[in-house]
């Protein structure tokens, strides 16, 4: 039987996994898969390829779930919300364009948040509205 309860801890777990996925793929610190691949002399190192496949699987899961739950319009709304949030942070001086790595960290954190909301949206929507999303319906014919 499926677990129907969805709590903040469930969302936080999805958010932490999204952060690991996004920041393991790329981050401004120089310690990421992209940097590892670029700096590697052997681009066909089995560990580089294995980690790329693992990251690709993670991205496929998160992007597919986000696309199915939020859709294009919902994803654009979230991106617009986050874009206006970054704009407000810059406008009011909370975020400076002088240090691009800080802006990069904020953008990557917001991307992680988008993925976490996307993979959790069906649960959140059910809690807010009481409506259930059904992707696959099996019928006994």
């Amino acid at each position: 039987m499926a677990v129907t309860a969805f709590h903040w801890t469930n969302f936080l777990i999805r958010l932490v996994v999204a952060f690991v996925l996004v920041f393991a793929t790329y981050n401004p610190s120089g310690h990421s898969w992209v940097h590892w691949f670029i700096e590697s002399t052997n681009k066909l190192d089995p560990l580089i390829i294995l980690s790329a496949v693992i990251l690709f699987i993670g991205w496929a899961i998160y992007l597919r779930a986000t696309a199915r739950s939020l859709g294009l319009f919902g994803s654009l709304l979230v991106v617009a919300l986050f874009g206006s949030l970054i704009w407000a942070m810059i406008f009011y001086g909370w975020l400076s364009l002088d240090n691009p790595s800080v802006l990069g960290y904020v953008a990557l954190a917001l991307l992680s948040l988008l993925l976490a909301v996307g993979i959790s949206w069906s649960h959140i929507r059910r809690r807010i509205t009481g409506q259930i999303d059904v992707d696959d319906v099996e019928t006994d014919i």
Side-chain angles (χ1 to χ4, degrees), residues 1 4 41 47 68 86 91 94 117 133 139-140:
M1 180 172 197
T4 58
T41 56
L47 287 178
R68 289 186 74 140
I86 289 174
F91 184 81
W94 302 331
V117 167
D133 292 336
T139 59
D140 295 330

Side-chain angles (χ1 to χ4, degrees), residues 24-106:
T25 303
Y26 175 79
N27 63 69
S29 74
H31 301 290
S32 69
W33 184 89
V34 169
H35 293 98
W36 182 27
F37 179 76
I38 290 171
E39 295 168 2
S40 173
T41 56
N42 181 11
K43 305 293 187 203
L44 295 177
D45 184 312
L47 287 178
I48 292 176
I49 302 301
L50 176 64
S51 58
V53 170
I54 291 169
L55 287 172
F56 186 77
I57 290 168
W59 278 101
I61 291 169
Y62 268 82
L63 289 175
R64 182 164 169 80
T66 299
R68 289 186 74 140
S69 64
L70 292 178
L72 179 63
F73 184 68
S75 297
L76 289 175
L77 284 175
V78 174
V79 168
L81 173 68
F82 290 162
S84 61
L85 178 65
I86 289 174
W87 180 25
M89 292 170 68
I90 293 169
F91 184 81
Y92 290 109
W94 302 331
L95 184 63
S96 173
L97 293 177
D98 295 335
N99 190 351
S101 65
V102 172
L103 183 61
Y105 280 115
V106 170

